[in-house]
Amino acid sequence: MPNVVYISEILSVICQYADNPTLAIMARSSRVLHEPAIEVLWTILTELTPLMTLFPGDAWNLVDVGVEMLLFCFTRPLVPNDWTRFLKYSALVRVLDRHSPEHHALRYRRSIALPVDVWDVIYKHRPTGFLFPNLRVLNWCSLKLPTKSLSSFILSAGTRIEEINIEELSLTNDARSEGPLEAIARVIIEQLPHLRVLALPRRSHNRTMRVPISHAIASLARALDSIVSFDCSTTPLLESALIALAQSKTLRKLALWLSDDADWPHLATLSASNRLFPCLQSLTLTATGGACIALSEAAQFPAVRDIRIEHIGDLNPTFSMLPTSIRRQFCPSTLTTVCVTFSGRIAYTNTTEVGAASLRPLLDFKRMENLTLYCPCRLTLNDVFLTDMAAAWPELRMLRLACASSLIPLHSSLPSLRVLSTLAARCPRLRTLALCFDATQWTTQEDFTKDDELGDIYGELKDRRSASRLRTLCTGCSPITSPDSVAPFLSRIFPGLSKVRPSGGNVNGERHDHWRRVDSLLPVLQAAHTTHVDGTEYQM
């Protein structure tokens, strides 16, 4: 073996690109390869099982309790010498996360459950203060332990943890003296003051927990002086918690749940004399349209580039005012992404209408790259608005307007098929387009042939080849009469188009078949646009 391969830095790089079976072979084949292979092999764990099996064989047992489930049990008390191998390899663990990619994550062959008393034994009899002194990332759901064990795990894990995800944590009252999240917050503040990423449990509808959880979030926001990403959409926040978050000098990514009955008077006063959320770049709101509008009147987010709103509750006429509130709240020279989705029951009879006039304030955001509006509302769009949109957003990469669900009612007016050529010409970087439009311009192939020969239907692309990068087109409930005419038109303005996706469900059967026909014709038409001369490919 050449001496250069013995250089530890080179061996470490090689191991980073090896999969687990290869690393295991390397660790067993050579003393030189053993240490670097073992270090990478144990860097990421998806569960505690591999570590638990390092205790002496006579100290534990696996009880078969199901088809693919084993139960881990200790068979005798642990003594100091039993911990040698456990501590050696636990010191190598950097990540505990079940969502880690297969390439680097170490898994056990069968699913093994850890009873509550197993962790209690480990915690009480550990021979050293920290069991995972080099742990950086913790995803609590990977450990399959009860809520009450989280505080003790953090206390015994070490002080180097930079990221904690407890989104799937159950907030039942396991502790009697204080709520579980309050206890966890106190431990995090004491043990991990330099934590950078924290994701708290997902939405809890227990209204009695709103006040203590908000107080816990406020305490965390004030104490964690290095926090960069904070997901605290557990419960609707009180104003005190939001003010604490607003004053963070390091926060770059924030997710929160807004109360529908809050008016934020103190936040508005503070905003008038201070620059709130100075470094925040990504904001996710779980709220009704009214709550978002109320927040926009109290606080601005000057540095935010990405705003995502999950609309909860029923839609009402105030929803059409949401674009105006977004314009008021964010900086036109900074914002690049607006994503509004809907979470709740979709009413077939919903008559909430959002017209082009309501969306026009968004055109002030000149750096827009992604606009998504996935809500069951009636969009009233036209060619004039979409033409102005294409001119305002030359950097647009994704445009999705109310085409996500087959339950969305048919829009009262639709833009024409011809406006797609304007989008292709003025937004060449657009890769995903979801839009309902009227594709009934041609009823026969002869009608299309006449327009194709004149070339006016291609607008700015009449005399030049399209540079559009569009790959996916979602047509929603767009009406269509002649798929054999629409397909060559789309192929001409979107030369890289690979997929046309109509909505399912209540889409008219014939209409659905027509769009499937368009999708099947695209590869043939794209091949027809290419010719080969002397082995060289030319685009026609």
Side-chain angles (χ1 to χ4, degrees):
M1 185 180 292
N3 292 335
V4 69
V5 183
Y6 287 95
I7 300 176
S8 59
E9 290 81 2
I10 295 179
L11 288 177
S12 297
V13 172
I14 293 174
C15 290
Q16 290 292 338
Y17 288 92
D19 56 18
N20 285 344
T22 303
L23 289 170
I25 294 172
M26 293 171 66
R28 292 193 298 263
S29 63
S30 168
R31 291 183 179 180
V32 175
L33 299 176
H34 178 81
E35 288 301 325
I38 285 296
E39 287 182 5
V40 175
L41 191 61
W42 284 89
T43 296
I44 302 176
L45 295 184
T46 61
E47 55 184 340
L48 287 178
T49 301
L51 279 172
M52 302 299 293
T53 57
L54 294 178
F55 287 109
D58 63 339
W60 58 275
N61 189 24
L62 296 179
V63 179
D64 198 338
V65 295
V67 178
E68 295 184 357
M69 178 67 68
L70 298 173
L71 191 67
F72 185 95
C73 300
F74 283 118
T75 57
R76 62 171 175 80
L78 296 177
V79 297
N81 289 339
D82 295 339
W83 291 87
T84 304
R85 296 181 67 210
F86 182 98
L87 295 176
K88 173 184 176 181
Y89 292 102
S90 66
L92 301 177
V93 178
R94 301 292 192 276
V95 177
L96 268 172
D97 188 353
R98 73 175 184 182
H99 301 300
S100 297
E102 181 74 28
H103 177 68
H104 282 142
L106 187 58
R107 290 171 168 84
Y108 200 73
R109 291 190 301 271
R110 295 183 65 181
S111 178
I112 297 179
L114 301 179
V116 177
D117 59 338
V118 169
W119 173 253
D120 291 340
V121 170
I122 293 176
Y123 179 69
K124 292 176 182 177
H125 296 86
R126 68 190 191 279
T128 181
F130 298 143
L131 297 177
F132 300 91
N134 296 306
L135 187 65
R136 300 294 192 275
V137 178
L138 170 62
N139 188 329
W140 179 246
C141 65
S142 304
L143 306 185
K144 302 176 184 178
L145 294 174
T147 299
K148 68 177 184 179
S149 300
L150 177 56
S151 296
S152 61
F153 186 90
I154 294 176
L155 287 171
S156 64
T159 59
R160 296 187 178 184
I161 299 179
E162 299 178 353
E163 178 178 340
I164 294 181
N165 185 326
I166 54 174
E167 288 181 338
E168 299 182 29
L169 185 76
S170 174
L171 289 181
T172 55
N173 288 322
D174 292 336
R176 293 291 178 261
S177 59
E178 60 183 342
L181 195 56
E182 298 169 81
I184 294 167
R186 176 172 51 80
V187 171
I188 289 176
I189 291 171
E190 294 175 359
Q191 185 84 0
L192 307 170
H194 302 300
L195 190 71
R196 293 174 56 83
V197 179
L198 177 58
L200 297 182
R202 296 280 176 84
R203 283 186 280 168
S204 170
H205 295 279
N206 188 342
R207 296 175 94 42
T208 62
M209 302 177 70
R210 179 182 175 187
V211 173
I213 289 178
S214 288
H215 288 334
I217 291 173
S219 299
L220 287 166
R222 286 190 288 265
L224 300 177
D225 56 8
S226 300
I227 192 72
V228 173
S229 176
F230 198 170
D231 185 340
C232 51
S233 53
T234 307
T235 188
L237 292 187
L238 298 177
E239 188 178 36
S240 59
L242 189 57
I243 289 176
L245 292 166
Q247 295 175 320
S248 172
K249 304 299 183 183
T250 59
L251 195 60
R252 294 179 179 272
K253 186 177 182 180
L254 175 65
L256 51 86
W257 185 357
L258 298 180
S259 172
D260 201 28
D261 56 1
D263 52 8
W264 318 107
H266 298 93
L267 185 66
T269 302
L270 188 64
S271 179
S273 57
N274 296 274
R275 189 169 186 261
L276 304 182
F277 303 101
C279 298
L280 193 66
Q281 296 181 358
S282 177
L283 176 64
T284 300
L285 300 176
T286 300
T288 63
C292 291
I293 293 171
L295 181 63
S296 71
E297 295 171 349
Q300 282 70 48
F301 300 87
V304 167
R305 302 178 69 252
D306 183 337
I307 171 63
R308 299 176 186 273
I309 299 173
E310 181 184 1
H311 190 285
I312 56 177
D314 296 331
L315 292 181
N316 55 54
T318 61
F319 182 77
S320 62
M321 301 166 57
L322 191 58
T324 301
S325 72
I326 293 174
R327 172 60 185 88
R328 177 169 55 242
Q329 201 168 21
F330 302 96
C331 178
S333 61
T334 305
L335 194 68
T336 63
T337 298
V338 176
C339 179
V340 182
T341 57
F342 179 77
S343 175
R345 182 178 58 86
I346 297 179
Y348 287 91
T349 58
N350 191 289
T351 57
T352 301
E353 188 164 306
V354 178
S358 300
L359 296 177
R360 276 199 173 273
L362 298 179
L363 299 186
D364 290 343
F365 298 106
K366 301 302 182 182
R367 298 181 60 189
M368 186 70 72
E369 297 178 2
N370 179 355
L371 174 63
T372 298
L373 179 61
Y374 269 17
C375 289
C377 58
R378 295 172 63 86
L379 274 180
T380 306
L381 301 180
N382 51 53
D383 288 7
V384 174
F385 174 73
L386 287 176
T387 299
D388 293 343
M389 176 189 290
W393 299 340
E395 301 297 318
L396 195 63
R397 287 171 168 78
M398 180 179 294
L399 177 63
R400 300 183 293 182
L401 295 176
C403 295
S405 172
S406 60
L407 300 180
I408 294 174
L410 190 63
H411 310 313
S412 55
S413 69
L414 296 172
S416 70
L417 180 68
R418 184 170 180 171
V419 77
L420 297 184
S421 63
T422 303
L423 288 171
R426 299 188 180 182
C427 304
R429 298 186 180 183
L430 187 65
R431 299 184 70 88
T432 301
L433 175 62
L435 181 70
C436 286
F437 53 89
D438 185 358
T440 60
Q441 180 167 344
W442 306 292
T443 56
T444 65
Q445 186 71 28
E446 290 74 18
D447 294 338
F448 168 73
T449 301
K450 294 177 182 178
D451 287 344
D452 180 55
E453 291 175 351
L454 292 173
D456 293 339
I457 57 173
Y458 300 114
E460 299 175 30
L461 298 176
K462 177 181 179 180
D463 299 318
R464 64 183 175 92
R465 197 182 78 179
S466 173
S468 173
R469 301 178 186 177
L470 193 75
R471 295 293 181 268
T472 303
L473 174 64
C474 176
T475 58
C477 301
S478 301
I480 180 175
T481 52
S482 177
D484 290 354
S485 301
V486 173
F489 174 78
L490 294 178
S491 179
R492 167 70 168 78
I493 62 174
F494 301 128
L497 185 62
S498 59
K499 190 66 178 178
V500 173
R501 297 175 178 170
S503 295
N506 67 342
V507 175
N508 177 272
E510 183 180 9
R511 181 185 304 169
H512 187 275
D513 292 341
H514 283 344
W515 283 116
R516 290 299 184 193
R517 168 71 174 167
V518 172
D519 182 64
S520 66
L521 288 173
L522 286 176
V524 179
L525 292 167
Q526 289 170 353
H529 280 295
T530 304
T531 185
H532 296 79
V533 180
D534 296 331
T536 305
E537 187 177 89
Y538 294 91
Q539 189 75 25
M540 297 186 65

